Structures are given as C-alpha cells and as structure tokens.
C-alpha cells in the first residue's frame, strides 16, 4: 500500500517536452488541460481530488488517498491480490476454529442469525464468542469487497485498459504478455514477490504504440457508448 502512495503517476513524473516531439499535439492525442494549464498526453485525466492530471488514469482510491494511474496501478492490483489471499486464509482458519474446534458452541441452528447480528453474543457471559463472530463477519465483508475490486479493476488490466476506459474502444491490446508487460513491467513475474523490485515499464505513459489516427481524444459518454454498441449489433 505504501508503494501505491509513494509512486508519482501524474504528468509531472515525465518530461512532456521530450515526449511530445511534434508540434501538432492533437494529431497524436495530446490535449490541453484548462485546470492544470498544461498539455496532457492521451489517456490522461484531471483528478478533481488531487487537482492534477494522471497518466493513464484509472480511478481515485479513497483507501490510499491517491490516484491510480500508469506507474502505480501494478502496486495497487498486487495489494488487492494480497488482501484477497489474506482474507481467504483468515476466513478459512476462523471457519475451522468455529465449526470444528468449537463445534459445540457455534454449530447450531441459530448461528446464521447471530452472524447477521453479532451483538447478540453480548447478552452472553462469554465475550470471546462475540469477538470471534465479529471477526468472522469482518472477514466475510473484506473478502466480498476485495473480490469486487479485483474483478472491477483486474479485468481491464489484462485488456491493456483501465476501469475509467471501460466505455472506450481503445486500440491498445497487444496480446496477453504484452499487456502484462505494459502494466507490471518487463519483470512482470518477479514483481509479485516484492513491490520494491525494479521492473521497467515498456511504455512511458505518454506515447502509445498505436497509429495516430486510432488514438481517441476523449472518453465517450454513457449514452453515446450505448448507441455505438447498438449500431455494431452487440445488443441482442
């Protein structure tokens, strides 16, 4: 989580003067941000909370208090995977303790209602039962939340996209291995063991390996996106 907050993924992290070598910025997808008063690359978006433009903007994370973009999205996704694994292991150990080790206490017909309202155990003399059920409920909530976040933010990663770009048909897919390299870097396997391993990204966050005419300048609205899908016959 600290790696997510420490990495700068805004447009200030790169030298735009060296990245944008042509004078016609708009032909390459570059556009001007009126709030930052600066030219920003394609796939960048101005965050209202951070008050700066983020490279390959995904979303603003309320848990870390920073934006998720091109340079820290891999740390954020690995952090979610670790949270998911920790929630599964913790829930498994708690389930074994409650339903096998302490089966006489927790294996009865009313246990489901006590899971819904763990404060029911406060009426009993044994406070440890209340704490155990409370931790069980917290693990279930953590597992559900991390599962939703993994699906919502993980699926676009394998498509070389972001959660913010779900409604845009970006031409950035280069195959599974190339997509993983663009997000996790050249050492996309070793970075899962430590967030401090150096793994250079294949792209700089400003220039994308696509044709200039194929780079869209802005994100489609929800209504325009639905009309576009209807025209292509994707709706049945």
């Amino acid at each position: 989580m600290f790696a997510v907050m420490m990495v700068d993924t805004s447009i200030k992290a790169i030298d735009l003067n060296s990245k944008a070598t042509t004078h016609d910025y708009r032909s390459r997808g570059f556009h001007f941000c009126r709030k930052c008063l600066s030219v920003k690359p394609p796939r960048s978006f101005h965050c209202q909370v951070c008050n700066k433009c983020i490279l390959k903007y995904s979303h603003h994370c309320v848990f870390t208090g920073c934006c998720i973009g091109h340079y820290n999205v891999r740390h954020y996704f690995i952090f979610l995977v670790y949270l998911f694994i920790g929630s599964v292991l913790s829930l498994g150990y708690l389930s074994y303790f409650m339903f096998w080790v302490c089966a006489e206490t927790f294996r009865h017909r009313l246990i489901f209602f006590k899971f819904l309202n763990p404060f029911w155990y406060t009426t009993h003399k044994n406070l440890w039962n209340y704490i155990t059920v409370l931790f069980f409920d917290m693990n279930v909530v953590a597992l559900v939340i991390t599962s939703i976040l993994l699906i919502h933010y993980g699926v676009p990663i394998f498509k070389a996209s972001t959660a913010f770009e779900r409604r845009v048909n970006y031409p950035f897919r280069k195959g599974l291995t190339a997509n993983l390299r663009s997000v996790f870097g050249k050492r996309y396997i070793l970075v899962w063991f430590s967030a401090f391993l150096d793994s250079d990204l294949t792209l700089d966050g400003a220039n994308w390996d696509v044709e200039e005419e194929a780079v869209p300048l802005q994100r489609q609205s929800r209504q325009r996106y639905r009309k576009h899908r209807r025209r292509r016959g994707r709706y049945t």
Side-chain angles (χ1 to χ4, degrees), residues 67-78:
C67 281
I68 308 301
H70 180 65
Y71 287 105
N72 63 351
V73 65
R74 65 178 179 183
H75 302 302
Y76 178 76
F77 184 73
I78 294 175

Side-chain angles (χ1 to χ4, degrees), residues 16-32:
L16 290 177
N17 294 327
S18 62
K19 303 300 180 183
T21 56
T22 59
H23 296 285
D24 190 5
Y25 292 105
R26 299 194 67 85
S27 64
R28 301 180 56 198
F30 285 77
H31 44 290
F32 186 78

Side-chain angles (χ1 to χ4, degrees), residues 162-180:
T162 63
F164 185 75
E165 298 171 348
R166 285 179 179 272
R167 299 200 301 267
V168 183
N169 187 20
Y170 277 111
F172 298 124
R173 299 184 184 181
K174 300 296 181 180
L176 180 60
T177 303
N179 294 342
L180 294 178

Side-chain angles (χ1 to χ4, degrees), residues 22 24-29 208-217:
T22 59
D24 190 5
Y25 292 105
R26 299 194 67 85
S27 64
R28 301 180 56 198
W208 306 98
D209 189 15
V210 293
E211 298 180 359
E212 297 179 0
E213 298 179 354
V215 180
L217 299 180

Side-chain angles (χ1 to χ4, degrees), residues 130-153:
Y130 161 70
I131 296 177
T132 304
V133 174
L134 183 62
F135 273 104
F136 186 88
D137 291 346
M138 293 173 60
N139 274 272
V140 172
V141 173
L143 182 61
V144 172
I145 293 177
T146 52
S147 301
I148 295 174
L149 292 178
L150 277 177
I151 296 174
H152 183 71
Y153 297 114

Side-chain angles (χ1 to χ4, degrees), residues 2 12 16 22 43-44 47 59 69 74 82 109-110 113 136 153 171 214 220 223 230:
F2 291 103
K12 297 180 181 179
L16 290 177
T22 59
R43 310 183 74 181
S44 301
C47 177
H59 67 285
R74 65 178 179 183
Y82 286 164
R109 297 179 180 179
L110 297 178
F113 299 98
F136 186 88
Y153 297 114
Q220 291 179 340
Q223 294 179 353
R230 290 194 186 99

Side-chain angles (χ1 to χ4, degrees), residues 2 38 50 60 65 67 111 121 154 157 179 236:
F2 291 103
S38 174
C50 298
H60 182 87
C67 281
I111 188 61
Y121 274 102
I157 287 179
N179 294 342
T236 57

Side-chain angles (χ1 to χ4, degrees), residues 28-220:
R28 301 180 56 198
F30 285 77
H31 44 290
F32 186 78
C33 179
R34 298 181 180 179
K35 298 180 180 179
C36 291
L37 299 179
S38 174
V39 175
K40 59 182 179 180
R43 310 183 74 181
S44 301
F45 183 78
H46 184 87
C47 177
Q48 300 292 341
V49 181
C50 298
N51 196 24
K52 55 185 177 182
C53 291
I54 306 300
L55 295 172
K56 192 183 176 183
Y57 179 81
S58 175
H59 67 285
H60 182 87
C61 180
V62 296
F63 300 104
T64 59
C66 63
C67 281
I68 308 301
H70 180 65
Y71 287 105
N72 63 351
V73 65
R74 65 178 179 183
H75 302 302
Y76 178 76
F77 184 73
I78 294 175
F79 171 64
L80 290 180
V81 172
Y82 286 164
L83 281 180
F84 177 79
I85 295 175
S87 300
V88 171
L89 292 177
S90 179
L91 187 62
Y93 287 134
L94 273 176
S95 300
Y96 174 76
F97 174 77
M98 294 174 62
F99 301 114
W100 276 270
V101 178
C102 301
E104 297 179 357
T105 305
F106 296 102
R107 292 178 67 174
H108 52 82
R109 297 179 180 179
L110 297 178
I111 188 61
F112 177 75
F113 299 98
K114 293 183 178 181
F115 283 152
L116 297 179
N117 186 14
F119 296 99
W120 196 341
Y121 274 102
T122 57
T123 59
H124 295 71
K125 295 182 180 180
N126 193 351
L127 185 61
W128 289 109
N129 294 339
Y130 161 70
I131 296 177
T132 304
V133 174
L134 183 62
F135 273 104
F136 186 88
D137 291 346
M138 293 173 60
N139 274 272
V140 172
V141 173
L143 182 61
V144 172
I145 293 177
T146 52
S147 301
I148 295 174
L149 292 178
L150 277 177
I151 296 174
H152 183 71
Y153 297 114
V155 173
I157 287 179
F158 295 96
K159 299 180 180 179
S161 180
T162 63
F164 185 75
E165 298 171 348
R166 285 179 179 272
R167 299 200 301 267
V168 183
N169 187 20
Y170 277 111
F172 298 124
R173 299 184 184 181
K174 300 296 181 180
L176 180 60
T177 303
N179 294 342
L180 294 178
R181 287 178 180 270
S182 64
V183 175
F184 299 100
K186 298 179 180 179
R187 306 168 70 181
Y188 62 95
I189 298 178
L190 296 179
V191 294
W192 290 91
F193 299 98
S194 176
F196 300 99
L197 289 176
D198 293 332
S199 182
D200 297 332
L201 300 177
T202 57
L203 300 172
D204 55 14
N207 299 302
W208 306 98
D209 189 15
V210 293
E211 298 180 359
E212 297 179 0
E213 298 179 354
V215 180
L217 299 180
Q218 59 185 355
R219 184 176 182 239
Q220 291 179 340

